Amino acid sequence: MDDPLLQALGWLAGVMTFALCLVSALGQTRACRRHLREAARAIDGRVRGNGWGERPRLDFAVDGIPAEFVYSPGPWARVRFRWSAPGRLRIAPAGESAGARRLPGDLGYDVPEFAGGYDVEGGPEAWVLESLSDETRGCVLALAALGAPTGGSVPIRIDVGPFGLSVFYRGNPAAEHELLTGFLSLSSRLLRGLRGDSPAGAPAESAEEVAADGRCPVCGVGLDGVLRRCQRCRTFHHGDCWEYFGGCAMYGCFSRQAERVRLE
Ligand SMILES: [Zn+2]
Ligand SMILES: [Zn+2]
Protein backbone atom coordinates (compact mmCIF):
# COMPACT_ATOMS: atom_id res chain seq x y z
CA MET A 1 0.00 0.00 0.00
CA ASP A 2 2.79 2.42 -0.88
CA ASP A 3 0.89 3.70 -3.87
CA PRO A 4 -0.64 7.06 -2.87
CA LEU A 5 -3.61 6.39 -5.18
CA LEU A 6 -4.38 3.10 -3.44
CA GLN A 7 -4.02 4.80 -0.09
CA ALA A 8 -6.42 7.53 -1.12
CA LEU A 9 -8.91 4.96 -2.43
CA GLY A 10 -8.69 2.99 0.81
CA TRP A 11 -9.29 6.14 2.78
CA LEU A 12 -12.26 7.09 0.58
CA ALA A 13 -13.77 3.60 1.00
CA GLY A 14 -13.47 4.00 4.77
CA VAL A 15 -15.20 7.37 4.74
CA MET A 16 -17.98 6.08 2.49
CA THR A 17 -18.57 3.01 4.70
CA PHE A 18 -18.81 5.28 7.72
CA ALA A 19 -21.27 7.58 5.90
CA LEU A 20 -23.40 4.61 4.81
CA CYS A 21 -23.50 3.28 8.37
CA LEU A 22 -24.52 6.71 9.62
CA VAL A 23 -27.29 7.04 7.04
CA SER A 24 -28.58 3.55 7.82
CA ALA A 25 -28.51 4.21 11.58
CA LEU A 26 -30.40 7.48 11.09
CA GLY A 27 -32.94 5.66 8.92
CA GLN A 28 -33.47 3.03 11.62
CA THR A 29 -33.90 5.70 14.28
CA ARG A 30 -36.49 7.44 12.11
CA ALA A 31 -38.37 4.15 11.61
CA CYS A 32 -38.37 3.51 15.37
CA ARG A 33 -39.74 6.98 16.05
CA ARG A 34 -42.43 6.46 13.42
CA HIS A 35 -43.45 3.15 15.03
CA LEU A 36 -43.57 4.85 18.42
CA ARG A 37 -45.84 7.59 17.03
CA GLU A 38 -48.12 4.99 15.39
CA ALA A 39 -48.36 3.03 18.65
CA ALA A 40 -48.97 6.27 20.57
CA ARG A 41 -51.91 7.12 18.32
CA ALA A 42 -53.43 3.65 18.79
CA ILE A 43 -53.20 3.64 22.60
CA ASP A 44 -53.64 7.36 23.25
CA GLY A 45 -50.03 7.75 24.36
CA ARG A 46 -47.37 10.40 23.80
CA VAL A 47 -43.87 10.19 22.37
CA ARG A 48 -41.33 12.22 24.34
CA GLY A 49 -37.70 13.01 23.69
CA ASN A 50 -38.00 14.19 20.11
CA GLY A 51 -34.96 16.43 20.19
CA TRP A 52 -31.67 15.73 18.44
CA GLY A 53 -29.69 13.10 20.34
CA GLU A 54 -32.53 12.56 22.82
CA ARG A 55 -33.72 9.06 23.50
CA PRO A 56 -37.36 8.74 22.48
CA ARG A 57 -39.83 7.20 24.87
CA LEU A 58 -43.50 6.42 24.78
CA ASP A 59 -45.70 7.44 27.69
CA PHE A 60 -49.15 5.91 27.99
CA ALA A 61 -51.53 4.55 30.59
CA VAL A 62 -53.36 1.26 31.19
CA ASP A 63 -56.48 1.45 33.38
CA GLY A 64 -55.19 4.74 34.77
CA ILE A 65 -51.74 3.32 35.59
CA PRO A 66 -48.95 5.39 33.97
CA ALA A 67 -46.49 3.47 31.81
CA GLU A 68 -43.34 4.28 29.88
CA PHE A 69 -41.59 2.38 27.10
CA VAL A 70 -37.91 2.96 26.24
CA TYR A 71 -35.26 1.25 24.12
CA SER A 72 -31.54 1.69 23.48
CA PRO A 73 -28.77 2.07 24.18
CA GLY A 74 -28.05 -1.32 25.67
CA PRO A 75 -29.45 -4.71 24.82
CA TRP A 76 -32.76 -4.42 26.68
CA ALA A 77 -35.86 -2.46 25.78
CA ARG A 78 -38.39 -2.12 28.57
CA VAL A 79 -41.86 -1.04 29.44
CA ARG A 80 -42.53 -0.05 33.00
CA PHE A 81 -45.85 0.39 34.74
CA ARG A 82 -46.05 2.59 37.76
CA TRP A 83 -47.97 0.06 39.77
CA SER A 84 -47.15 -0.91 43.31
CA ALA A 85 -47.35 -4.70 43.60
CA PRO A 86 -48.00 -6.28 47.00
CA GLY A 87 -45.02 -8.65 46.56
CA ARG A 88 -41.94 -9.34 44.48
CA LEU A 89 -41.68 -11.54 41.43
CA ARG A 90 -38.77 -11.92 39.06
CA ILE A 91 -38.79 -14.05 35.94
CA ALA A 92 -35.43 -14.05 34.16
CA PRO A 93 -33.63 -16.23 31.60
CA ALA A 94 -32.16 -19.24 33.42
CA GLY A 95 -28.89 -18.35 35.09
CA GLU A 96 -29.24 -14.60 34.56
CA SER A 97 -31.04 -13.91 37.81
CA ALA A 98 -27.78 -14.78 39.53
CA GLY A 99 -26.70 -11.18 38.93
CA ALA A 100 -29.76 -9.80 40.67
CA ARG A 101 -29.94 -9.09 44.36
CA ARG A 102 -31.95 -11.76 46.09
CA LEU A 103 -34.10 -10.21 48.74
CA PRO A 104 -34.65 -11.60 52.22
CA GLY A 105 -37.63 -13.94 52.10
CA ASP A 106 -37.51 -14.47 48.31
CA LEU A 107 -37.84 -18.09 47.22
CA GLY A 108 -37.24 -19.88 43.93
CA TYR A 109 -40.20 -21.53 42.18
CA ASP A 110 -40.49 -24.37 39.69
CA VAL A 111 -42.82 -23.53 36.85
CA PRO A 112 -43.01 -26.52 34.48
CA GLU A 113 -43.69 -24.36 31.37
CA PHE A 114 -40.53 -22.33 32.02
CA ALA A 115 -38.33 -25.33 32.81
CA GLY A 116 -34.81 -24.76 31.56
CA GLY A 117 -35.79 -21.40 30.06
CA TYR A 118 -36.58 -19.10 32.95
CA ASP A 119 -35.86 -18.85 36.64
CA VAL A 120 -38.63 -17.60 38.90
CA GLU A 121 -38.13 -16.09 42.32
CA GLY A 122 -40.01 -13.83 44.67
CA GLY A 123 -42.14 -13.57 47.76
CA PRO A 124 -44.29 -13.75 49.77
CA GLU A 125 -45.02 -17.27 48.59
CA ALA A 126 -48.82 -17.09 48.67
CA TRP A 127 -48.86 -13.95 46.51
CA VAL A 128 -46.32 -15.37 44.02
CA LEU A 129 -48.27 -18.63 43.60
CA GLU A 130 -51.47 -16.67 43.06
CA SER A 131 -49.70 -14.37 40.59
CA LEU A 132 -48.36 -17.25 38.50
CA SER A 133 -51.81 -17.88 37.07
CA ASP A 134 -52.54 -19.48 33.68
CA GLU A 135 -52.98 -15.97 32.30
CA THR A 136 -49.64 -14.71 33.65
CA ARG A 137 -47.71 -17.76 32.46
CA GLY A 138 -49.38 -17.54 29.06
CA CYS A 139 -48.43 -13.86 28.75
CA VAL A 140 -44.81 -14.59 29.65
CA LEU A 141 -44.54 -17.36 27.05
CA ALA A 142 -46.26 -15.20 24.42
CA LEU A 143 -43.84 -12.33 25.16
CA ALA A 144 -40.86 -14.69 24.81
CA ALA A 145 -42.20 -15.97 21.47
CA LEU A 146 -42.67 -12.43 20.14
CA GLY A 147 -40.45 -11.75 17.16
CA ALA A 148 -38.71 -15.12 17.59
CA PRO A 149 -38.43 -17.76 14.85
CA THR A 150 -41.21 -20.36 15.05
CA GLY A 151 -40.71 -22.51 18.11
CA GLY A 152 -37.88 -20.28 19.36
CA SER A 153 -37.83 -17.60 21.99
CA VAL A 154 -36.34 -14.21 22.72
CA PRO A 155 -34.89 -13.52 26.18
CA ILE A 156 -37.28 -11.47 28.28
CA ARG A 157 -37.29 -10.46 31.92
CA ILE A 158 -40.17 -9.61 34.19
CA ASP A 159 -39.60 -7.66 37.37
CA VAL A 160 -42.54 -6.99 39.68
CA GLY A 161 -42.25 -5.15 42.96
CA PRO A 162 -43.47 -2.27 45.06
CA PHE A 163 -41.90 0.20 42.60
CA GLY A 164 -43.54 -1.10 39.49
CA LEU A 165 -43.86 -3.81 36.89
CA SER A 166 -41.07 -3.83 34.31
CA VAL A 167 -41.04 -6.04 31.23
CA PHE A 168 -37.64 -6.26 29.53
CA TYR A 169 -37.16 -7.50 25.98
CA ARG A 170 -33.73 -8.25 24.54
CA GLY A 171 -33.79 -6.40 21.27
CA ASN A 172 -35.70 -3.40 20.05
CA PRO A 173 -39.44 -3.95 19.59
CA ALA A 174 -39.71 -0.42 18.16
CA ALA A 175 -37.80 -1.57 15.07
CA GLU A 176 -41.00 -3.19 13.75
CA HIS A 177 -44.56 -1.96 13.99
CA GLU A 178 -46.09 -5.40 14.73
CA LEU A 179 -43.44 -6.22 17.29
CA LEU A 180 -44.00 -2.96 19.17
CA THR A 181 -47.79 -3.22 19.28
CA GLY A 182 -47.53 -6.91 20.28
CA PHE A 183 -45.04 -6.12 23.03
CA LEU A 184 -47.13 -3.28 24.44
CA SER A 185 -50.42 -5.17 24.35
CA LEU A 186 -48.96 -8.35 25.93
CA SER A 187 -47.26 -6.28 28.62
CA SER A 188 -50.55 -4.52 29.37
CA ARG A 189 -52.29 -7.90 29.54
CA LEU A 190 -49.63 -9.08 31.97
CA LEU A 191 -50.24 -6.03 34.15
CA ARG A 192 -53.98 -6.74 34.21
CA GLY A 193 -53.37 -10.42 34.97
CA LEU A 194 -51.06 -9.60 37.87
CA ARG A 195 -53.26 -6.89 39.31
CA GLY A 196 -56.40 -8.97 39.25
CA ASP A 197 -59.06 -6.94 40.99
CA SER A 198 -56.72 -4.84 43.08
CA PRO A 199 -57.46 -1.14 42.72
CA ALA A 200 -55.38 1.30 40.68
CA GLY A 201 -54.02 4.40 42.36
CA ALA A 202 -50.72 5.79 43.45
CA PRO A 203 -47.98 3.37 44.55
CA ALA A 204 -47.96 2.69 48.29
CA GLU A 205 -44.38 3.90 48.20
CA SER A 206 -42.93 5.51 45.10
CA ALA A 207 -39.38 5.04 43.86
CA GLU A 208 -38.82 8.72 44.69
CA GLU A 209 -39.89 8.23 48.32
CA VAL A 210 -37.71 5.14 48.64
CA ALA A 211 -34.68 7.00 47.26
CA ALA A 212 -35.34 9.99 49.53
CA ASP A 213 -35.39 7.56 52.43
CA GLY A 214 -31.84 6.46 51.56
CA ARG A 215 -32.85 3.11 50.05
CA CYS A 216 -32.24 1.61 46.62
CA PRO A 217 -35.05 2.29 44.09
CA VAL A 218 -34.62 -1.14 42.47
CA CYS A 219 -34.88 -3.40 45.53
CA GLY A 220 -36.03 -1.07 48.33
CA VAL A 221 -33.25 -2.21 50.66
CA GLY A 222 -30.88 0.15 52.53
CA LEU A 223 -27.69 1.23 50.77
CA ASP A 224 -24.18 0.16 51.67
CA GLY A 225 -20.91 -0.88 50.06
CA VAL A 226 -20.00 0.14 46.52
CA LEU A 227 -22.86 2.06 44.97
CA ARG A 228 -23.73 3.73 41.69
CA ARG A 229 -24.86 7.34 41.68
CA CYS A 230 -26.85 8.36 38.62
CA GLN A 231 -25.08 11.18 36.83
CA ARG A 232 -28.35 12.77 35.80
CA CYS A 233 -30.60 12.66 38.87
CA ARG A 234 -27.94 11.81 41.51
CA THR A 235 -29.94 8.88 42.91
CA PHE A 236 -27.93 6.11 44.60
CA HIS A 237 -28.42 2.44 43.64
CA HIS A 238 -26.72 -0.78 44.71
CA GLY A 239 -24.08 -1.64 42.07
CA ASP A 240 -25.70 -5.00 41.24
CA CYS A 241 -29.19 -3.44 41.15
CA TRP A 242 -27.97 -0.77 38.72
CA GLU A 243 -26.49 -3.44 36.44
CA TYR A 244 -29.58 -5.62 36.70
CA PHE A 245 -31.96 -2.78 35.87
CA GLY A 246 -29.71 -1.51 33.09
CA GLY A 247 -29.47 2.03 34.42
CA CYS A 248 -31.29 4.47 36.63
CA ALA A 249 -34.56 3.18 38.07
CA MET A 250 -36.15 6.56 38.76
CA TYR A 251 -39.22 7.20 36.65
CA GLY A 252 -38.51 9.42 33.70
CA CYS A 253 -34.70 9.44 34.16
CA PHE A 254 -33.40 6.59 31.95
CA SER A 255 -29.75 7.55 32.47
CA ARG A 256 -27.17 4.81 32.01
CA GLN A 257 -24.26 6.93 33.21
CA ALA A 258 -23.26 6.54 36.82
CA GLU A 259 -20.28 7.12 39.04
CA ARG A 260 -19.04 4.55 41.52
CA VAL A 261 -19.24 5.70 45.10
CA ARG A 262 -18.28 3.82 48.23
CA LEU A 263 -20.55 4.48 51.18
CA GLU A 264 -18.82 4.10 54.54
ZN1 LIG B 1 -30.86 -2.47 45.35
ZN1 LIG C 1 -31.30 8.94 37.34
Side-chain angles (χ1 to χ4, degrees), residues 230-235 237 242 248-250 253-255:
C230 173
Q231 288 195 348
R232 189 178 296 160
C233 73
R234 319 295 291 164
T235 303
H237 299 62
W242 176 276
C248 183
M250 300 302 279
C253 180
F254 309 112
S255 172

Side-chain angles (χ1 to χ4, degrees), residues 63-76:
D63 304 339
I65 294 171
E68 54 192 24
F69 166 80
V70 277
Y71 67 91
S72 94
W76 297 93

Side-chain angles (χ1 to χ4, degrees), residues 28-237:
Q28 276 166 20
T29 308
R30 263 217 299 276
C32 291
R33 284 181 190 273
R34 190 178 67 241
H35 298 145
L36 285 182
R37 283 195 303 273
E38 286 164 0
R41 266 199 299 279
I43 57 178
D44 200 17
R46 251 185 105 167
V47 181
R48 310 213 177 243
N50 283 311
W52 173 253
E54 273 189 285
R55 195 177 311 155
R57 74 177 219 245
L58 171 59
D59 286 357
F60 61 107
V62 173
D63 304 339
I65 294 171
E68 54 192 24
F69 166 80
V70 277
Y71 67 91
S72 94
W76 297 93
R78 71 163 185 263
V79 64
R80 191 169 183 208
F81 298 92
R82 213 167 177 154
W83 167 61
S84 187
R88 294 197 53 86
L89 173 62
R90 269 177 183 164
I91 303 174
E96 283 194 19
S97 54
R101 175 165 292 243
R102 197 152 183 179
L103 297 176
D106 278 5
L107 298 171
Y109 300 82
D110 280 325
V111 180
E113 290 103 311
F114 301 164
Y118 292 93
D119 290 338
V120 179
E121 55 183 49
E125 192 177 7
W127 177 79
V128 172
L129 293 176
E130 192 191 327
S131 298
L132 290 169
S133 61
D134 289 350
E135 168 70 0
T136 309
R137 299 195 311 271
C139 275
V140 171
L141 293 174
L143 277 163
L146 206 63
T150 314
S153 68
V154 172
I156 57 161
R157 243 170 42 199
I158 314 283
D159 190 86
V160 189
F163 320 123
L165 157 66
S166 300
V167 182
F168 298 79
Y169 182 95
R170 186 129 71 203
N172 179 8
E176 285 174 48
H177 173 81
E178 305 276 297
L179 204 54
L180 181 60
T181 51
F183 179 70
L184 295 177
S185 75
L186 280 170
S187 300
S188 304
R189 230 181 85 192
L190 182 65
L191 172 75
R192 291 193 172 116
L194 286 167
R195 274 183 63 216
D197 300 327
S198 61
E205 196 176 33
S206 67
E208 289 80 1
E209 284 165 337
V210 169
D213 188 36
R215 287 178 288 141
C216 168
V218 176
C219 68
V221 173
L223 294 161
D224 56 16
V226 181
L227 308 175
R228 299 280 188 289
R229 178 162 57 192
C230 173
Q231 288 195 348
R232 189 178 296 160
C233 73
R234 319 295 291 164
T235 303
F236 288 102
H237 299 62

